[in-house]
Amino acid sequence: MAEITWEEPYCAEGNNCFRIGTDPEGNAYIAVAGQEEHRLTDSREALRALILEIKAGKADHLL
């Protein structure tokens, strides 16, 4: 398995901290900070699409 390069955690006030990581093989990862061994994995393209949809407000109903 390729080495995952994790970004610094993103922490919203009062919420869990999440981390995003990538590897040289083109995979992307999302995990709760401190629990990186329990991660979601998909392609970088899928992660990009997810972020763009969230930024467009398509997950606002979950707030």
Side-chain angles (χ1 to χ4, degrees):
M1 174 181 272
E3 182 71 26
I4 300 170
T5 302
W6 292 102
E7 299 289 327
E8 290 297 316
Y10 169 78
C11 303
E13 189 173 325
N15 293 320
N16 289 328
C17 298
F18 292 90
R19 297 186 81 181
I20 294 176
T22 57
D23 69 23
E25 297 174 359
N27 298 309
Y29 304 86
I30 301 175
V32 174
Q35 298 180 25
E36 288 81 0
E37 69 278 6
H38 303 290
R39 57 189 174 256
L40 297 174
T41 307
D42 209 325
S43 67
R44 289 184 190 194
E45 293 80 20
L47 177 62
R48 182 178 185 279
L50 173 67
I51 291 170
L52 289 173
E53 295 294 316
I54 290 170
K55 288 177 73 173
K58 294 193 177 178
D60 288 354
H61 66 283
L62 300 172
L63 301 175

